[in-house]
């Protein structure tokens, strides 16, 4: 069945063989967050640990706490512990061990571990084999074996931070504010091996001792204590915690947590996407392969679960259907309370038609690959919403931006414009939201070219891939009436007031007024030729081909469209592009499958493909899978399948619009301000930068206060497009 279908797709020009990424399980990270809100101002969170029973405990200045149902509560399970002054928390043989002002004790081992230490102002403890224990306090420390003291010594101005037992040497390492000491409890000796005053934390890692400082990470040889290097090329250099967790080196800092990767770079966990706040206090191994991050205001449990890209798509599909469908449209979810999905509500955007076309395209690809009845039903539902965009205005093929029941539209203006712009526009042109003929609905006017682009893209795809002829014919009808509207109105989108919309302009007077190095000239020529080619391909009505030929021969539209993307440059002036517009990239790539595959001749097809390839080469550094797969749909072969899969793997599971800042990072190399608005020499993974749509490109900083959740079509469309062009294999469990 699939082979027959692929043959059909090849005949229609909507499939091509691409490099295939084998979709095997990878470790997908996500965060579960727990906030501490009770008496927050009077409580310091100090340490965190998890035991062999998967219990998690937090030591605070007011006793033990535990995470429960997204909050942190007082731990009252062991009543005797409530009355104890617990100073430090340790994990030994998978069990909790507590240092109090009087003793070291545990509730494990039938409660038999009890060391009455008599240390003045105890601060830190560490344990070795057979319950060998070192306890350190102000100016003195003591070593205990079998619950009995075997040696006690003093160090002037001792201010201990942490203690660890090194099984390689059989000795303890004692970190203080003044340096690092080696303590041999058997030989009763202590030796200062590093003199420093900016140390904060340490752990053992391979053949090294890794020390966190207030300005970077100091590496020592584990045997000789010789300094190897001071590493300051980190996401942030003010280190608060260092932990070797299951063979991975983790760091906590005053600006988030990060993990050292095998390639020497770091996975960075910061912002409310990952943490309650960025002031990390402690790190610990968590249950089920997780990592626990304790911060000033709460804790995060960062989990790592084996997952395929297909399973990730299933996860996002459930969210899409549950929280992001409004009248069949794809919709963002706004929230009254930041991060609280239970307070979410739907609202329109300027581009409901475009975003819906992108989700609809993903469902068409999913149906083509899987023959899923659910995908077909979702596609038909979305199509009906888009179909109504031309029905409500009753303007002979003019598409509205969106629609809403009368009285419930979001304001009187197009979203994203200033109040001043709104008042000026309404004064000149009237309300942007218009009442439908039945008086029950409002439809949103001022439709732009990006909406038309989404419509023609998905209607062509629908006409190719929908299984029922009746529905395919409805899509072809939409192509025809929208194309007729533009042609009948001298290559403009004409709004209810008889005037062209701000961006719905393909007339030669408008298009050719731009210099050749301004993207609008090339883009608008490409769009209108693609629209006309699409209309001709499905209707065979020669007026569309004649219209295209007129624009080509008389006004040079093919010459405009076939210029390589490298000609686009900086140009200042009224109505001219003065930066690279990544929304234009989105329109361009949605257009190129029809622009190339529906060309009127092989010669034209080759020229169109060459131009499309030049644009793909410019955008290639973004590693955007949607651009890569749409280029494959246009005939591209080498489409960077691994880079595309990397983008999909690193796409965050949390789709809430949290504010994210990477400006402070010292592990990234910044580049000078540039035309394309690229910030760093490398593209950051999606889970380390602000969430944005496909037109966001290099946007690494920004976001908002967590009051909206993005719709998951951002992931779903590229994933299913990748499956459709065979750039991603079916999921492989092993």
């Amino acid at each position: 069945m699939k082979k027959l279908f692929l043959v059909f797709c090849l005949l229609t020009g909507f499939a091509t063989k691409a490099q295939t990424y084998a979709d095997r399980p990878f470790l997908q990270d996500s965060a579960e967050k727990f906030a501490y809100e009770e008496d927050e101002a009077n409580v310091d969170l100090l340490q965190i640990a998890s035991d062999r029973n998967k219990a998690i405990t937090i030591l605070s200045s007011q006793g033990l706490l535990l995470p429960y149902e997204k909050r942190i509560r007082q731990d009252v399970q062991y009543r005797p512990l409530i009355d104890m002054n617990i100073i430090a928390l340790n994990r030994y043989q998978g069990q909790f061990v507590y240092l109090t002002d009087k003793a070291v004790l545990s509730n494990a081992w039938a409660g038999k571990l009890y060391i009455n230490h008599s240390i003045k102002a105890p601060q830190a403890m560490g344990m070795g084999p057979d319950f060998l224990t070192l306890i350190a306090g102000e100016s003195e420390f003591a070593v205990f074996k079998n619950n009995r003291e075997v040696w006690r010594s003093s160090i002037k101005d001792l201010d201990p931070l942490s203690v660890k037992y090194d099984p390689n040497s059989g000795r303890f390492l004692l970190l203080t504010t003044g340096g690092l000491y080696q303590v041999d409890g058997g030989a009763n000796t202590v030796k200062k091996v590093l003199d420093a005053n900016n140390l904060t934390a340490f752990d053992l890692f391979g053949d090294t001792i890794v020390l966190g400082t207030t300005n970077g990470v100091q590496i020592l040889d584990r045997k000789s204590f010789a300094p190897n290097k001071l590493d300051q090329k980190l996401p942030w250099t003010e280190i608060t915690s260092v932990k070797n967790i299951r063979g991975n080196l983790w760091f906590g800092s005053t600006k988030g947590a990060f993990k050292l990767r095998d390639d020497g770079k770091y996975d960075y966990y910061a912002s409310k996407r990952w943490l309650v706040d960025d002031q990390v206090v402690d790190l610990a191994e968590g249950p089920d392969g997780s990592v626990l991050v304790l911060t000033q205001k709460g804790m995060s449990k960062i989990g790592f679960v084996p997952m395929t890209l297909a399973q990730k798509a299933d996860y996002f599909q459930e969210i899409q259907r549950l929280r992001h469908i409004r009248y069949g449209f794809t919709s963002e979810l706004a929230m009254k309370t930041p991060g609280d999905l239970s307070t979410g509500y739907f609202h329109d955007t300027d581009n409901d038609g475009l975003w819906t076309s992108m989700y609809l395209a993903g469902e068409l690809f999913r149906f083509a690959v899987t023959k899923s009845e659910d995908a077909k039903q979702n596609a038909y539902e979305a199509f009906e919403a888009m179909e109504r965009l031309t029905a409500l205005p009753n303007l002979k093929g003019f598409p509205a931006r969106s629609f809403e029941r009368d009285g419930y539209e979001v304001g009187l203006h197009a979203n994203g414009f200033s109040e001043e712009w709104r008042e000026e526009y309404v004064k000149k042109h009237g309300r942007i939201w218009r009442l439908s003929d039945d008086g029950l609905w409002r439809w949103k006017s001022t439709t732009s070219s990006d909406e038309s682009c989404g419509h023609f893209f998905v209607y062509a795809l629908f006409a190719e891939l929908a299984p029922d002829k009746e529905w395919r014919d409805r899509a072809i009808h939409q192509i025809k009436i929208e194309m007729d509207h533009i042609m009948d109105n001298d290559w403009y989108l004409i709004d209810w007031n008889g005037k062209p919309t701000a961006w719905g302009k393909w007339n030669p007077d408008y298009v050719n007024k731009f210099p050749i190095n301004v993207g609008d000239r090339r883009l608008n020529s490409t769009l209108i030729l693609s629209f006309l080619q699409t209309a001709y391909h499905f209707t065979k009505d020669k007026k569309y081909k004649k219209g295209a030929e007129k624009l080509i021969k008389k006004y040079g539209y093919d010459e405009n469209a076939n210029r390589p993307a490298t000609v686009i440059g900086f140009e200042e002036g009224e109505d001219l592009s003065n930066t690279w517009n990544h929304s234009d990239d989105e329109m361009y790539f949605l257009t190129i499958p029809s622009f190339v595959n529906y060309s009127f001749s092989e010669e034209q097809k080759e020229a169109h493909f060459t131009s499309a390839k030049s644009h793909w080469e410019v955008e290639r550094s973004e590693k955007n899978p949607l651009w890569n797969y749409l280029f494959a749909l246009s005939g591209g072969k080498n489409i960077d399948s691994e880079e595309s899969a990397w983008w999909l793997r690193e796409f965050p599971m949390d789709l809430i619009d949290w504010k994210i800042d990477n400006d402070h990072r010292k592990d990234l190399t910044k580049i000078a301000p540039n035309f394309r608005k690229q910030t760093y020499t490398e593209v950051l993974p999606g889970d380390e930068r602000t969430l944005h749509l496909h037109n966001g490109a290099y946007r690494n900083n920004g976001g908002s206060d967590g009051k909206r959740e993005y719709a998951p079509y951002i992931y779903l469309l590229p994933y299913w497009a990748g499956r459709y062009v065979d750039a991603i294999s079916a999921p492989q469990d092993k």
Side-chain angles (χ1 to χ4, degrees), residues 222-238:
R222 190 164 170 178
K223 183 180 293 185
S224 67
F225 303 108
N228 286 346
K229 66 174 181 177
L230 175 65
D231 187 2
Q232 294 178 315
K233 198 172 178 58
L234 309 167
W236 189 238
T237 55
E238 191 175 357

Side-chain angles (χ1 to χ4, degrees), residues 455-504:
H455 291 202
F456 278 91
F457 162 67
V458 81
Y459 291 150
L461 203 61
F462 199 96
E464 295 274 14
L465 301 181
D468 303 304
K469 184 178 185 305
E470 176 192 351
W471 286 84
R472 294 198 300 270
D473 288 345
R474 287 165 68 173
I476 294 170
H477 176 71
Q478 289 300 121
I479 292 171
K480 176 177 172 52
I481 63 173
E482 292 196 30
M483 191 69 257
D484 286 349
H485 174 90
I486 296 171
M487 290 186 72
D488 292 345
N489 289 285
D490 199 20
W491 310 108
Y492 289 110
L493 279 180
I494 298 298
D495 217 332
W496 62 272
N497 55 13
K499 298 179 181 180
T501 64
W503 297 103

Side-chain angles (χ1 to χ4, degrees), residues 210-219 229-242 249-253 255-260 264-268 662-669:
V210 183
L211 297 114
T213 77
T214 57
N215 190 28
V217 173
Q218 178 69 62
I219 310 295
K229 66 174 181 177
L230 175 65
D231 187 2
Q232 294 178 315
K233 198 172 178 58
L234 309 167
W236 189 238
T237 55
E238 191 175 357
I239 305 301
T240 57
S241 180
V242 179
L249 192 57
W250 281 78
F251 299 93
S253 77
K255 290 190 177 181
F258 41 96
K259 180 186 76 170
L260 180 65
K265 297 182 180 181
Y266 295 92
D267 289 329
Y268 187 37
N662 285 292
D663 269 346
H664 60 274
R665 292 181 62 168
K666 299 180 183 296
D667 61 326
L668 302 176
T669 303

Side-chain angles (χ1 to χ4, degrees), residues 406-701:
D406 183 34
Y408 293 91
E409 64 273 14
V410 179
L412 303 177
H413 61 286
N415 297 327
F417 290 102
S418 68
E419 189 73 13
E420 181 181 353
W421 184 94
R422 177 186 69 82
E423 290 179 359
E424 185 66 23
Y425 188 93
V426 171
K427 187 179 190 180
K428 288 183 178 179
H429 307 286
R431 291 182 64 171
I432 292 172
W433 283 98
R434 308 301 300 173
L435 192 64
S436 63
D437 290 345
D438 61 12
L440 298 176
W441 295 85
R442 289 276 177 181
W443 58 271
K444 200 171 196 176
S445 61
T446 73
T447 307
S448 58
S449 55
D450 47 355
E451 287 293 287
S452 295
C453 174
H455 291 202
F456 278 91
F457 162 67
V458 81
Y459 291 150
L461 203 61
F462 199 96
E464 295 274 14
L465 301 181
D468 303 304
K469 184 178 185 305
E470 176 192 351
W471 286 84
R472 294 198 300 270
D473 288 345
R474 287 165 68 173
I476 294 170
H477 176 71
Q478 289 300 121
I479 292 171
K480 176 177 172 52
I481 63 173
E482 292 196 30
M483 191 69 257
D484 286 349
H485 174 90
I486 296 171
M487 290 186 72
D488 292 345
N489 289 285
D490 199 20
W491 310 108
Y492 289 110
L493 279 180
I494 298 298
D495 217 332
W496 62 272
N497 55 13
K499 298 179 181 180
T501 64
W503 297 103
K505 300 175 180 179
W506 299 276
N507 182 281
D509 290 342
Y510 175 80
V511 171
N512 286 336
K513 77 173 183 178
F514 294 103
I516 62 171
N517 63 327
V518 173
D520 300 62
R521 181 165 179 158
R522 178 175 180 268
L523 176 66
N524 283 28
S525 298
T526 303
L527 294 182
I528 197 63
L529 290 181
S530 175
F531 297 170
L532 289 162
Q533 290 173 190
T534 300
Y536 176 73
H537 177 83
F538 289 104
T539 68
K540 301 307 178 187
D541 189 330
K542 293 182 179 179
K543 72 175 183 180
Y544 302 120
K545 187 174 183 180
K546 288 179 180 179
E549 289 173 343
K550 180 179 179 180
L551 293 176
I552 291 170
K553 294 176 180 178
K554 188 173 181 179
Y555 299 106
Y557 272 42
D558 230 14
E559 183 181 355
N560 291 340
N562 289 336
R563 287 194 182 93
T566 51
V567 305
I568 301 174
F570 184 87
E571 181 77 24
E572 285 193 67
E574 186 179 358
D575 293 329
L576 299 184
S577 300
N578 56 17
T579 57
W580 189 277
N581 187 333
H582 294 286
S583 289
D584 289 354
D585 294 327
E586 182 172 76
M587 286 192 280
Y588 189 82
F589 279 99
L590 291 178
T591 300
I592 60 172
S594 298
F595 179 60
V596 174
N597 295 322
Y598 299 153
S599 296
F600 298 133
S601 67
E602 285 302 315
E603 182 183 5
Q604 187 188 50
K605 183 175 182 178
E606 184 178 348
H608 286 182
F609 175 78
T610 300
S611 181
K613 185 178 181 182
S614 76
H615 204 115
W616 176 73
E617 290 285 2
V618 171
E619 292 297 287
R620 197 172 180 179
S621 64
E622 292 179 20
K623 304 181 182 180
N624 188 322
L626 184 55
W627 303 167
N628 291 334
Y629 301 148
L630 289 174
F631 179 58
L633 206 60
S634 309
K637 303 298 182 187
N638 175 22
I639 60 161
D640 300 337
S641 289
E642 175 54 43
E643 288 80 355
S644 300
W646 170 84
W647 190 101
L648 293 168
R649 291 194 304 267
E650 297 295 331
F651 189 79
M653 303 293 278
D654 182 349
L655 300 183
I656 294 176
D657 187 25
W658 298 113
K659 184 175 178 58
I660 293 176
D661 179 23
N662 285 292
D663 269 346
H664 60 274
R665 292 181 62 168
K666 299 180 183 296
D667 61 326
L668 302 176
T669 303
K670 288 187 177 182
I671 60 178
N674 56 84
F675 182 64
R676 287 175 50 75
K677 296 184 178 179
Q678 185 173 347
T679 312
Y680 307 113
T681 54
E682 60 189 283
V683 177
L684 293 184
D687 60 2
E688 293 183 16
R689 56 179 175 171
T690 183
L691 196 60
H692 51 69
L693 307 179
H694 288 283
N695 58 2
Y698 295 104
R699 194 181 304 157
N700 297 308
N701 305 307

